[in-house]
């Protein structure tokens, strides 16, 4: 076994351009076009150990479809079909189930490879799928107790500046700058506003809030946000439970005076926010709606709710 750090277990192999290769052989040339210009797309996917001891990938096809859609948006040709990429992901896990019996984080990525340089170059696309053991992105304590967030001085990109529906590698510089600003200021995560000053999303998560009247709100897809698969999952869980969710814009001060805030994302899963800009949110701890969403979400990904069995692809 080897790890990316002393505590993070990584796969022994990766899937690269159609075949499994050893982790240390999964390299690309320094003249790779995407390294210089950021033209690539990626996904974050989780596989969970289910209640019966099996391993299942959550919403695998939806993630692969979004990867292909992101590539289509930036005119990056991926030389594999949806079925081939689904099978590649499952093959990677099947070959290494001894490492990931308790779950894994999966990272499909496609990017323009080496060859010609310059902004007008069109080189062959490289495609890889990697896996490692990645716990809660914002920490287990954050999931239990909530995190502190800061409204960033960096603005979420306008829809005419970049393609906000695509999960595009180069666009994440915007998120990295916001995240670093927040962490250096002593917070856990950043919240970005759009150019009109309305709440968009966190640096790597979608955002939900519950106001003092108990109304659940999340920014609409007409905002410059990623169409998150975990966001879609939470909308489905809430609405199936009979709760109403308004997909509407709202301001940062609406966050200051609401009862609950929580982030959603594959890496962060369901993470409550207990404080924004040094203002306590609600009672300063996870609220009832957030706890319901957490409990429901983890039951689904662990195969304990048959209503959503089709969201799981067993390895």
């Amino acid at each position: 076994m080897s790890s990316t750090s002393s505590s993070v277990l990584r796969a022994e192999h990766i899937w690269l351009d159609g075949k499994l290769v050893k982790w240390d052989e999964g390299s690309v040339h320094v003249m790779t076009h995407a390294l210089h210009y950021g033209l690539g797309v990626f996904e974050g996917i989780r596989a969970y150990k289910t209640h019966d001891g099996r391993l299942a990938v959550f919403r695998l096809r939806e993630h692969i479809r979004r990867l292909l859609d992101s590539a289509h948006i930036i005119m990056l040709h991926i030389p594999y079909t949806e079925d081939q990429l689904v099978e590649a992901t499952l093959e990677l896990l099947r070959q290494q189930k001894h490492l990931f019996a308790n779950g894994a984080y999966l990272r499909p990525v496609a990017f323009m490879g080496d060859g010609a340089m310059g902004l007008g170059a069109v080189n062959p696309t490289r495609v890889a799928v990697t896996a490692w053991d990645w716990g809660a992105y914002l920490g287990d304590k954050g999931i239990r107790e909530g995190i502190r967030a800061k409204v960033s001085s960096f603005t979420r990109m306008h829809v005419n500046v970049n393609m906000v529906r695509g999960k595009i590698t180069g666009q994440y510089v915007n998120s990295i700058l916001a995240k670093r600003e927040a962490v250096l200021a002593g917070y856990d995560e950043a919240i970005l506003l759009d150019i009109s000053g309305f709440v968009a999303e966190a640096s790597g998560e979608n955002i939900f809030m519950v106001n003092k009247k108990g109304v659940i709100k999340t920014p609409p897809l007409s905002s410059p946000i990623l169409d998150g698969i975990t966001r879609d999952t939470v909308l489905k869980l809430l609405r199936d439970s009979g709760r109403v969710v308004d997909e509407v814009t709202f301001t940062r001060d609406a966050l200051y005076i609401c009862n609950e805030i929580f982030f959603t994302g594959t890496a962060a899963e369901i993470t409550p926010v207990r404080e924004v800009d040094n203002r306590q949110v609600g009672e300063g701890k996870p609220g009832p709606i957030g706890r319901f969403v957490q409990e429901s979400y983890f039951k689904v990904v662990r195969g304990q709710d048959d209503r959503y069995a089709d969201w799981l692809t067993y390895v």
Side-chain angles (χ1 to χ4, degrees), residues 210-214 255 257-261 281-283 285 287:
V210 185
N211 70 15
K212 282 187 165 57
K213 295 181 179 179
L255 295 178
I257 59 174
C258 73
N259 281 351
E260 295 185 52
I261 302 170
V281 175
E283 297 182 359
K285 61 182 181 181

Side-chain angles (χ1 to χ4, degrees), residues 208-211 214-218 238 243-248 262 289:
F208 285 75
M209 62 93 87
V210 185
N211 70 15
V215 178
I216 307 167
K217 298 182 179 183
T218 193
L238 286 169
R243 293 172 171 87
V244 175
V245 186
D246 291 341
E247 296 180 66
V248 294
F262 53 91
I289 300 298

Side-chain angles (χ1 to χ4, degrees), residues 135-146 269:
Y137 175 62
L138 294 169
D140 292 333
K141 183 178 180 181
I143 284 185
R144 293 192 310 270
E145 301 177 10
E269 298 169 311

Side-chain angles (χ1 to χ4, degrees), residues 137-139 142 146-153 175-192 202-203 205 252 256 261 263 271-281:
Y137 175 62
L138 294 169
I147 64 164
R148 299 177 67 240
K150 177 187 187 300
V151 174
S152 180
S153 69
S175 292
I176 289 169
L177 292 172
K179 175 80 172 184
R180 286 185 176 177
E181 177 187 56
V183 171
L184 288 171
Y187 298 84
D188 302 301
E189 183 56 294
I191 296 172
L192 288 82
S203 73
E205 305 87 21
R252 77 169 82 183
Y256 296 161
I261 302 170
F263 293 149
T271 300
V273 178
R274 58 183 170 84
E275 186 180 305
V276 176
D277 291 347
N278 300 310
R279 295 159 174 88
Q280 179 177 297
V281 175

Side-chain angles (χ1 to χ4, degrees), residues 106-152:
L106 299 151
R107 172 56 56 85
V109 59
F111 54 94
M112 187 179 290
D114 60 301
M117 291 298 284
L119 300 181
V122 180
N123 300 330
T125 302
R126 309 290 303 275
V127 184
V129 184
T130 61
W132 68 91
D133 178 22
W134 202 8
Y137 175 62
L138 294 169
D140 292 333
K141 183 178 180 181
I143 284 185
R144 293 192 310 270
E145 301 177 10
I147 64 164
R148 299 177 67 240
K150 177 187 187 300
V151 174
S152 180

